[in-house]
Amino acid sequence: MTELLAPAGNMEALKAAISNGCDAVYLGMQKFGARAYSSNFDLESLKEAVTYAHLRNVKLYVAMNTIVFENEVEEMKEQIHELNKIGVDGIIVQDLTAFDYIVKNFLDMEAHCSTQMGIDDLDGTLLFKELGAKRVVLSREVEIEKVKEIKRIAEIPLEIFVHGALCVSYSGNCLMSGLIGYRCANRGRCVGSCRKEYELMDKTTDTSLGKNYILSTKDLNTIDYIHDLKEIDSLKIEGRMKVPTYVANVVSKYRMALDHKITEEDKENLKKTFNRTFTKGYMFHEDKKNITNILRPNNFGYEIGTISKIVKDRYEITLTRTLNQNDTIRISHNNEDVNLAVAKLYNKEDELINKAVDVCYIKIKEKVSKGDLVYKTKDYFYNKELELSLEKEFKRFNLNIRVYACPDSKLFIDAEGLGFNYSYESEEILGEAINNSTTKDQVIKQFSRLNDTIFELNHVDFEECNAFIPAKLLNAARRDIVLGLYDLKLNSQKKRTKALKAKEKISFAPEKPYLTASVTTKEQYEACVSCGIKEIYFKNVVRRNQIDYKEKEGQLLIGGYGGIYHYRETNPFVTDYSLNVVNATSCYELYKLGAKRVTLSYELNKSQIEDLMNAYYEENDGHPALEMIVYGRVPLMFTKYCPMKKMNQCRICKTKSYELKDEHGTFPIISHNDCTTTLLNGKTLNLLDELQNIKGIEALRLNFTVESKEQVVKVINMASGKLNGSMNNAVFNQETDTRGHFNKEIV
C-alpha cells in the first residue's frame, strides 16, 4: 500500500496530519534535523507523538538529516539510542556517520537515506541497499519513469516528494546560505538565498536582463498524477515549517486522491493555504521555464477579482470569486503588494455586508489603481473548517467484547482490539438481580461511550444470567480494557540492538603536501600541465547529479554515491567536496568503499578539520588521506533549472557570459552542456596564505572555473611559492577574496 507521509513541525501539526488521514509522519528534534527553525520536538514531546501515532497505526520517522561535526558525533549517537528506546520507526539521515551507526547498532529502527544525500539514480540506490538502507528518498529532480525503473530493479522501498516547497538546487548541494550568510543549509539553517531578488546580467554586453526572484521555485503539486504515483512506496509532503491548517489541507486532499474520492473543487482548495503557485515538477517533465515564480517568493494566494473603480474613499472590486468579511487579500500594485484583512465590506448601497459574490467596496489607506489584480491569501471560513479537522479520529478501530456475568461471581470480559486480546476481571462479586437483570443493550450502552478513545464498539457477546452489573462497574471495565489494549499495542514494538563487530582499521602513510587542480576549460587544463600539476581533474570528473556514466580511464574525481558504485570496481577514485564530509567516520566509510582520498567539505573550519584528523588517528591508529580545496570560486548551488532559459537566453547562452547580482555582490553562472547550471560565489576562496599552516592534508586543490589561462598560471605560481616557503608576501585581497569558513564556524 502506498504510504502517505506527512510533515509535523509541532504536536498540533502532527495531530492535524493524522486526523486527516496520513499513514506516517516525519518530524525533527531540537538538533540534527534539516529544519532548525521549526518548533521541533524534545524527548518528552516525542514520546507523546510516538504514543499518539502508534496507537493509530501511523508510523513515525525522525529526520536527523544534517551533517554532523566531529564534536557532535557522541551526542548524535546518544540521541539515536534515545529514539530507539522511544520506539521511532525510522531515522532519515544525510551524514554517513549517522547512517552507519543506525545500520550497525539497531535491528528494528530503519535507516532512510535523505534526499540531502543526492541519490538520483539506480547506482546510488543499489549502493545504499547494499550498505543496509531500508528506504531511499530520491532527489526531486528524478523523472517518474526513472523512479519506476529504480524501484523495479533495486527492489528497495522508495520515497518521493509530491507536494510543497522546492529547493532550486539539488538538495544537499547548496552552499549559498552557508558561504554568504554563515547559516548552513546542510545544518537545517538555510536563510533562503534563493527567495531573494536578483538581477541577471549579460556580462558580454554589460546589460541587465531584468531584476526579479529568478531563483524562487514554485511549490510542487502532483495531485493530478496520483495514478502514476501509486506504484511508489511513500509519497512525501514537504512542510515542517508550515502551520497545522496547511498540513490538514494538503494531507486531506492527497488522502482523498489516493482513496479515489477527490473532486476538482478539492484540488482547487489546495490554493486556499500557503502556495507560491504550483508546478508539476521535474518528476512530471515540467518545462524548466515554469519551475520558478519570479514575481514573488512568498504566499501567492489565488486571483479573485480586479480593482474596477475608485468611488470617493472606497475602491470597487469586480469579483470572479466570493469575498467574505475577515478574508485576507493582497492587491498587486506596481509590483508591490498591499496586504490587508477585510474587516469591513460594503455593497453598492454603502451598506455593510459579510459576503460579496460579484461586486463589493472596501476602504484602503494605501493607494492602488484601477486594473490592479486582487488575490485572496486566506479564506476565513475555509480556514475555520480546517481548524475543526485538526484533532479528530480519522478512523476508529473495532472493539469486540465477550461478557461473562453470573451471580456470585466476578465480572469477566474478553476484549479484542488493535490485533490484541485483553482479559478483564473485576474485584467485586456480582449479585443476583432482584427485579431487572442487566441486559445486553445496557452493556452496549455503557461500552459505546468510546468517543475519547480510538475505538468504536463492534461486536458484543453477552448471555443474560440474571446478574446485576452496576453501570459504574461497566464504565470502569471499559476504561481498564481501553488502557490495557493501548499498553499491549505500544509495548509490541521491538527495540532490539545488534552485537557490534570489531572493525578493520584503515590508515595511510603521511604524504608531503602537493597541489592538485580542477579545471573547466581546455586552456585551464593546458596551463596546469605547463606548470607541472600532476593530478588535474577535467575529463575525469564524475559530478554529483550528473549521472551519465561513460567508460573512463585512470583515476576519477567522484562527487556522488552513484558514481562510487558504478566505478569502484574499474577505476581508482578520489571523492569530491559534494559528499559533504565533515567527520572521521564518513572518511572511513568512503575508504572502505574504495576511495584513495577524501575531499573535505567547504563547510569545515580550521579547528573542525583538526578534530576530524585527531579522531581518525585515534580510531584507526593512523592518518586519513585527505584533500582540501584552498583556492577558487566556490560552487554555491548546482541546479537542473536554467535562469537564462527563464529570461529567454536559450541557445545563445553558450556565446555569452552571465552573472546574478544583488546588493552584496555578483555571482557568475556556468552553463553545462546538459543545460544544468552552477552558480559560483562572487568572491574567490583564497587560503594560499595559510598553506604552511594547514597540516595533515596531502592534496591541496586549486579550483579553476572562470579564470583565464594567464590567471591560472599566476595562481599556480603563487600557490607553489606559498607551499614551498619561497613566497612570503600576502596574496589575500580583502576586496575580491574570502577565507570561507576556514576561520569562522558555520551554524
Side-chain angles (χ1 to χ4, degrees):
M1 188 182 82
T2 302
E3 173 187 273
L4 180 57
L5 176 57
N10 54 37
M11 195 65 197
E12 193 182 5
L14 178 135
K15 289 180 177 179
I18 295 173
S19 297
N20 282 280
C22 72
D23 302 299
V25 175
Y26 68 102
L27 52 83
M29 304 295 288
Q30 304 292 338
K31 284 201 76 171
F32 308 116
R35 286 290 183 275
Y37 299 122
S38 180
S39 299
N40 293 316
F41 289 73
D42 57 21
L43 289 174
E44 284 308 306
S45 57
L46 180 65
K47 288 174 189 172
E48 182 189 351
V50 169
T51 297
Y52 191 89
H54 282 176
L55 281 178
R56 291 158 178 81
N57 277 349
V58 170
K59 291 191 172 180
L60 191 142
Y61 310 123
V62 173
M64 288 183 65
N65 52 343
T66 61
I67 52 176
V68 183
F69 293 131
E70 198 63 58
N71 65 351
E72 301 171 315
V73 168
E74 288 310 309
E75 187 183 356
M76 175 269 293
K77 291 177 179 178
E78 287 170 19
Q79 181 165 303
I80 290 173
H81 274 283
E82 290 295 334
L83 299 186
N84 186 57
K85 281 183 203 168
I86 291 170
V88 305
D89 297 283
I91 302 181
I92 307 162
V93 293
Q94 172 186 189
D95 197 290
L96 269 183
T97 301
F99 176 85
D100 175 68
Y101 194 73
I102 297 162
V103 168
K104 286 184 177 158
N105 286 276
F106 305 97
L107 278 162
D108 306 299
M109 193 166 57
E110 298 181 351
H112 295 185
C113 297
S114 170
T115 190
Q116 294 285 113
M117 282 185 164
I119 302 170
D120 60 349
D121 65 351
L122 176 62
D123 293 88
T125 305
L126 288 171
L127 177 66
F128 278 98
K129 180 184 180 183
E130 176 189 302
L131 294 176
K134 298 301 180 189
R135 181 182 294 187
V136 169
V137 187
L138 292 174
S139 296
R140 293 171 174 92
E141 290 79 3
V142 184
E143 294 168 348
I144 188 65
E145 297 82 5
K146 186 103 170 275
V147 175
K148 291 178 180 179
E149 180 192 12
I150 294 169
K151 177 168 172 52
R152 179 173 52 80
I153 300 172
E155 295 182 327
I156 181 175
L158 298 180
E159 180 177 304
I160 54 173
F161 281 90
V162 295
H163 198 97
L166 289 172
C167 292
V168 69
S169 173
Y170 278 87
S171 292
N173 215 359
C174 182
L175 305 176
M176 196 166 188
S177 174
L179 280 160
I180 295 173
Y182 291 95
R183 294 189 179 275
C184 172
N186 284 314
R187 305 272 293 162
R189 298 183 182 278
C190 176
V191 294
S193 304
C194 57
R195 304 296 181 191
K196 285 182 58 183
E197 195 173 36
Y198 297 95
E199 192 171 11
L200 180 63
M201 302 296 297
D202 178 343
K203 288 300 291 174
T204 311
T205 58
D206 202 28
T207 55
S208 171
L209 298 172
K211 191 175 184 182
N212 50 45
Y213 298 96
I214 194 164
L215 298 178
S216 184
T217 52
K218 297 177 180 179
D219 285 354
L220 182 63
N221 179 349
T222 64
I223 199 92
D224 287 330
Y225 300 89
I226 208 76
H227 59 283
D228 259 332
L229 296 167
K230 281 192 168 182
E231 295 177 39
I232 313 306
D233 302 276
S234 183
L235 308 182
K236 186 175 200 169
I237 295 164
E238 182 279 334
R240 283 196 282 141
M241 298 283 286
K242 298 292 199 303
V243 295
T245 47
Y246 173 92
V247 175
N249 191 30
V250 179
V251 171
S252 65
K253 303 308 173 288
Y254 278 84
R255 179 77 274 154
M256 290 175 191
L258 284 167
D259 295 344
H260 306 287
K261 295 176 181 174
I262 196 160
T263 65
E264 288 305 312
E265 184 184 357
D266 293 324
K267 292 177 184 179
E268 280 293 303
N269 283 340
L270 283 168
K271 294 177 182 174
K272 291 186 177 179
T273 44
F274 186 101
N275 72 88
R276 298 181 176 92
T277 70
F278 291 126
T279 170
K280 59 188 176 182
Y282 295 117
M283 185 161 46
F284 292 104
H285 311 281
E286 183 70 271
D287 187 317
K288 289 184 180 186
K289 285 184 77 169
N290 296 330
I291 207 83
T292 52
N293 177 351
I294 65 174
L295 298 176
R296 56 185 291 111
N298 42 24
N299 191 14
F300 199 86
Y302 56 101
E303 191 178 325
I304 62 163
T306 310
I307 301 290
S308 47
K309 200 185 291 182
I310 302 168
V311 185
K312 296 180 182 175
D313 62 341
R314 290 177 196 161
Y315 289 95
E316 179 186 84
I317 304 174
T318 299
L319 294 166
T320 54
R321 300 191 192 206
T322 302
L323 179 63
N324 299 296
Q325 184 184 11
N326 296 320
D327 285 349
T328 304
I329 61 172
R330 72 175 180 87
I331 301 167
S332 183
H333 176 71
N334 293 341
N335 294 323
E336 296 288 333
D337 284 338
V338 175
N339 294 286
L340 67 148
V342 181
K344 291 182 178 179
L345 198 58
Y346 298 87
N347 63 13
K348 287 180 180 177
E349 284 71 42
D350 208 24
E351 298 167 331
L352 282 170
I353 54 174
N354 53 28
K355 178 181 180 180
V357 177
D358 46 13
V359 175
C360 66
Y361 299 82
I362 58 172
K363 289 182 179 179
I364 311 172
K365 290 179 184 175
E366 295 85 354
K367 182 172 174 51
V368 297
S369 302
K370 184 178 175 181
D372 288 348
L373 293 175
V374 181
Y375 299 83
K376 190 185 291 192
T377 54
K378 185 175 182 180
D379 184 308
Y380 177 78
F381 288 110
Y382 188 70
N383 208 63
K384 287 294 178 189
E385 272 182 53
L386 291 174
E387 286 174 2
L388 291 174
S389 79
L390 294 184
E391 199 170 340
K392 66 182 191 324
E393 296 302 335
F394 180 73
K395 63 177 179 182
R396 292 187 183 269
F397 299 87
N398 286 340
L399 175 64
N400 301 310
I401 59 172
R402 182 182 292 271
V403 182
Y404 304 92
C406 297
D408 304 320
S409 176
K410 293 180 177 181
L411 173 64
F412 295 98
I413 302 175
D414 288 334
E416 184 274 321
L418 300 172
F420 296 93
N421 296 300
Y422 181 80
S423 295
Y424 169 82
E425 177 183 323
S426 68
E427 290 183 3
E428 58 196 90
I429 304 295
L430 299 178
E432 187 170 355
I434 299 169
N435 293 318
N436 298 316
S437 61
T438 301
T439 64
K440 182 177 180 178
D441 285 345
Q442 289 170 317
V443 171
I444 290 171
K445 180 184 176 184
Q446 299 305 323
F447 262 85
S448 294
R449 295 176 175 175
L450 292 163
N451 277 348
D452 58 347
T453 77
I454 61 170
F455 292 111
E456 62 184 1
L457 191 61
N458 180 46
H459 186 73
V460 177
D461 273 345
F462 178 65
E463 289 184 24
E464 297 177 18
C465 298
N466 203 37
F468 174 70
I469 316 172
K472 187 177 176 184
L473 179 56
L474 285 171
N475 290 334
R478 184 189 70 245
R479 288 190 290 269
D480 186 88
I481 287 166
V482 166
L483 292 175
L485 288 170
Y486 281 4
D487 285 343
L488 287 168
K489 172 70 175 173
L490 295 172
N491 293 324
S492 66
Q493 178 113 6
K494 292 178 181 175
K495 303 164 187 176
R496 298 168 297 170
T497 54
K498 296 180 185 177
L500 275 181
K501 298 173 187 172
K503 75 170 192 177
E504 172 200 354
K505 295 183 177 182
I506 301 173
S507 62
F508 300 82
E511 295 272 350
K512 186 179 177 184
Y514 55 91
L515 297 174
T516 66
S518 52
V519 300
T520 310
T521 67
K522 190 179 178 187
E523 289 74 24
Q524 291 170 348
Y525 176 80
E526 289 168 351
C528 290
V529 171
S530 71
C531 291
I533 302 290
K534 295 288 187 286
E535 291 190 37
I536 307 167
Y537 308 122
F538 184 29
K539 300 293 186 185
N540 58 342
V541 177
V542 182
R543 288 188 58 146
R544 169 174 169 165
N545 304 123
Q546 282 185 311
I547 45 178
D548 182 16
Y549 303 128
K550 293 174 180 170
E551 193 173 320
K552 294 178 182 284
E553 292 183 3
Q555 182 168 288
L556 306 177
L557 177 67
I558 299 180
Y561 291 112
I564 292 174
Y565 185 84
H566 192 87
Y567 290 106
R568 63 180 176 170
E569 302 296 335
T570 57
N571 297 75
F573 65 91
V574 175
T575 61
D576 207 358
Y577 75 92
S578 48
L579 291 181
N580 297 320
V581 173
V582 296
N583 56 56
T585 303
S586 293
C587 293
Y588 176 85
E589 291 303 313
L590 291 170
Y591 299 140
K592 261 176 66 180
L593 291 170
K596 302 302 176 194
R597 270 196 317 276
V598 169
T599 305
L600 296 176
S601 165
Y602 278 110
E603 299 186 309
L604 284 168
N605 66 29
K606 182 166 49 179
S607 65
Q608 289 167 334
I609 293 170
E610 289 171 7
D611 288 347
L612 181 154
M613 290 190 288
N614 292 336
Y616 195 93
Y617 192 91
E618 195 174 310
E619 290 166 18
N620 292 280
D621 302 326
H623 300 277
L626 300 174
E627 185 154 339
M628 178 178 168
I629 301 167
V630 295
Y631 177 89
R633 300 288 187 110
V634 176
L636 296 182
M637 62 170 67
F638 175 63
T639 173
K640 195 170 181 174
Y641 163 66
C642 179
M644 282 76 78
K645 183 174 185 182
K646 183 71 177 181
M647 301 304 288
N648 301 313
Q649 299 295 297
C650 212
R651 289 187 290 278
I652 61 170
C653 65
K654 294 293 186 291
T655 64
K656 296 187 173 188
S657 63
Y658 301 86
E659 65 185 17
L660 292 184
K661 183 179 178 184
D662 69 2
E663 67 274 23
H664 301 299
T666 58
F667 307 97
I669 298 169
I670 294 181
S671 298
H672 305 290
N673 290 332
D674 60 357
C675 293
T676 55
T677 304
T678 297
L679 188 67
L680 300 174
N681 198 3
K683 287 196 168 187
T684 302
L685 176 71
N686 185 348
L687 298 176
L688 300 185
D689 290 335
E690 309 284 345
L691 294 191
Q692 287 285 320
N693 302 320
I694 297 173
K695 306 296 182 187
I697 309 283
E698 68 174 74
L700 301 163
R701 191 194 308 174
L702 311 172
N703 176 35
F704 297 114
T705 50
V706 295
E707 291 84 356
S708 67
K709 191 172 184 177
E710 293 72 26
Q711 286 172 316
V712 170
V713 171
K714 182 182 176 183
V715 170
I716 293 173
N717 288 335
M718 284 193 300
S720 299
K722 285 290 182 179
L723 191 58
N724 63 30
S726 63
M727 180 181 279
N728 295 319
N729 57 305
V731 297
F732 185 86
N733 183 329
Q734 196 78 39
E735 296 299 312
T736 60
D737 298 345
T738 174
R739 292 186 180 87
H741 300 299
F742 191 69
N743 295 318
K744 188 171 181 179
E745 185 173 355
I746 199 169
V747 294

